[in-house]
């Protein structure tokens, strides 16, 4: 049973997508010299590198069994794929933006728009259609910010994450068309025929994501302070308590906590007399498996 995974060949999500697979145990055997196709350490899994915008269609057509790409691209292509998981990174928004010096300042002002420049003609057309506004869609392959400045469009519909690029180009956000993030998708037939293997890949990837921002804390504490310690580090399902060989008054406590709580938790535990404290990185967490 062979599985082909489609990944972006370049761009902002290419590196994170490859790193995600590697952390999930699906490392590339030839990542140092990336080609169109790469093998992985699993002989049944290979990776295909292509444009992020083409991945929805490749997965829908069966050229790839699963893929990692933007939700916005899946919707723009209207691709008939199964969304397996929101990977919760690469968050971005497709927004309508107008020049700062234009009369278009609010959503109500969009009724005066005649032409919209965008790399997302389908999503943009639907947005204006739902608002009952008849506009001309100027489909561009990049650099949409320049369109209003050279007079070929009144506004643009473009992706933004922080809004910085729009401000640098003297553009004002008017409204959000679509919220997007990076998702894991699958070919519907492949999901039926190769369900077990695809589910294993998904589980590995989700496990990596669930481990992000979490640390395993291990500490020895006095039994008399155990209840107070439990309050400090409740853990995912409560801390794990175990006996320490040769000690009558100490127990070992293991718990998973948020990385942002590590500093405070360590100091609170020390105040309770905790000793032999370790903080360990976590590669993967599999909940409810």
């Amino acid at each position: 049973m062979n599985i082909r995974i489609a990944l972006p060949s370049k761009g902002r999500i290419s590196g994170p997508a490859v790193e995600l697979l590697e952390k999930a145990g699906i490392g590339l055997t030839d990542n140092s010299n990336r080609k169109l196709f790469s093998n992985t350490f699993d002989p049944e899994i290979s990776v295909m590198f292509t444009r992020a915008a083409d991945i929805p269609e490749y997965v829908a057509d069966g050229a790839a069994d699963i893929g990692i790409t933007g939700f916005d691209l899946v919707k723009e292509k209207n691709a008939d794929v199964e969304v397996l998981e929101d990977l919760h990174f690469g968050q971005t928004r497709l927004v309508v933006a107008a020049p700062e010096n234009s009369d278009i300042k609010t959503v109500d002002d969009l009724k005066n728009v005649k032409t919209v420049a965008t790399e997302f003609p389908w999503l943009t057309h639907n947005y204006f259609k739902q608002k009952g506004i008849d506009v001309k869609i100027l489909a561009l392959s990049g650099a949409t910010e320049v369109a209003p400045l050279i007079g070929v469009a009144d506004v643009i519909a473009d992706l933004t994450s922080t809004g910085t690029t729009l401000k640098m180009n003297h553009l004002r956000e008017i409204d959000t068309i679509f919220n997007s993030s990076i998702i894991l998708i699958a070919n519907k037939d492949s999901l039926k025929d190769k369900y077990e293997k695809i589910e294993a890949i998904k589980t590995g990837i989700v496990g990596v994501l669930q481990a992000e921002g979490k640390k395993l804390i291990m500490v020895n504490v006095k039994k008399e302070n155990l209840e107070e310690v439990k309050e400090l580090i409740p853990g995912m399902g409560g801390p794990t308590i175990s006996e320490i060989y040769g000690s009558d008054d100490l127990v070992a406590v293991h718990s998973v906590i948020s990385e942002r709580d590590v500093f405070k938790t360590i100091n609170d535990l020390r105040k309770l007399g905790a000793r032999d404290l370790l903080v360990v990185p976590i590669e993967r967490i599999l909940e409810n498996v």
Side-chain angles (χ1 to χ4, degrees):
M1 181 185 298
N2 294 316
I3 299 288
R4 179 177 290 171
I5 305 174
L7 297 184
S9 56
K10 57 183 179 179
R12 62 188 176 88
I13 65 174
S14 179
V18 171
E19 184 180 359
L20 186 58
L21 284 189
E22 290 177 341
K23 287 183 176 180
I26 314 171
L28 307 183
T29 58
D30 49 359
N31 191 28
S32 61
N33 185 24
R34 190 182 299 175
K35 305 173 183 177
L36 178 60
F37 296 97
S38 290
N39 294 319
T40 72
F41 293 111
D42 187 318
E44 294 183 339
I45 301 175
S46 63
V47 170
M48 176 178 75
F49 290 100
T50 185
R51 291 196 324 142
D54 293 333
I55 290 176
E57 291 180 310
Y58 282 144
V59 173
D61 293 341
D65 299 290
I66 59 179
I68 295 177
T69 190
F71 191 31
D72 52 306
L73 297 173
V74 172
K75 286 297 186 181
E76 175 63 28
K77 299 292 185 178
N78 199 22
D80 186 22
V81 297
E82 191 74 28
V83 177
L84 297 180
E85 193 74 27
D86 184 343
L87 302 182
H88 297 292
F89 72 91
Q91 284 85 355
T92 189
R93 295 173 294 123
L94 180 62
V95 303
V96 180
E100 292 175 347
N101 60 1
S102 77
D103 294 330
I104 302 168
K105 296 179 171 59
T106 68
V107 174
D108 288 338
D109 296 331
L110 293 176
K111 63 180 181 294
N112 300 316
V113 169
K114 302 299 181 184
T115 305
V116 184
T118 184
E119 291 185 72
F120 297 85
W122 194 83
L123 286 171
T124 302
H125 170 77
N126 279 355
Y127 169 81
F128 281 94
K129 182 179 179 180
Q130 290 173 4
K131 292 189 173 300
I133 304 172
D134 185 21
V135 297
K136 176 184 176 183
I137 303 295
L138 178 63
L140 300 178
S141 58
T144 55
E145 298 92 347
V146 74
L149 303 179
I150 61 176
V152 298
D154 302 306
V155 298
I156 68 169
D158 201 10
L159 289 178
T160 184
S161 53
T162 64
T164 301
T165 301
L166 294 177
K167 291 177 182 177
M168 287 176 57
N169 288 280
H170 305 288
L171 293 164
R172 177 195 301 117
E173 286 187 37
I174 304 300
D175 196 15
T176 296
I177 295 176
F178 190 78
N179 289 297
S180 181
S181 61
I182 307 307
I183 60 175
L184 180 67
I185 60 175
N187 175 274
K188 291 185 174 180
D189 289 333
S190 296
L191 191 57
K192 295 176 183 176
D193 299 336
K194 307 175 183 180
Y195 176 81
E196 186 174 342
K197 192 71 174 182
I198 291 176
E199 185 66 16
I201 294 170
K202 172 190 167 183
T203 299
I205 289 173
V206 171
V208 171
L209 296 173
Q210 290 177 338
E212 286 186 354
K214 294 184 176 66
K215 299 290 184 181
L216 175 64
I217 190 166
M218 299 183 289
V219 61
N220 295 337
V221 301
K222 291 183 178 180
K223 291 181 180 179
E224 62 191 59
N225 295 329
L226 189 54
E227 291 304 317
E228 292 176 90
V229 170
K230 287 180 181 179
E231 292 296 323
L232 289 178
I233 48 174
M236 294 168 56
T240 299
I241 314 295
S242 55
E243 298 291 332
I244 298 176
Y245 182 77
S247 176
D248 294 327
D249 63 336
L250 291 177
V251 290
V253 179
H254 297 178
S255 185
V256 176
I257 67 172
S258 172
E259 188 172 24
R260 64 177 178 268
D261 297 329
V262 168
F263 180 79
K264 182 178 184 304
T265 300
I266 288 175
N267 285 283
D268 288 342
L269 288 169
R270 288 181 63 194
K271 291 175 183 178
L272 288 175
R275 63 182 70 172
D276 307 322
L277 199 151
L278 295 175
V279 179
V280 182
I282 303 173
E283 290 189 356
R284 211 176 305 176
I285 295 175
L286 303 179
E287 298 182 86
N288 304 319
V289 176

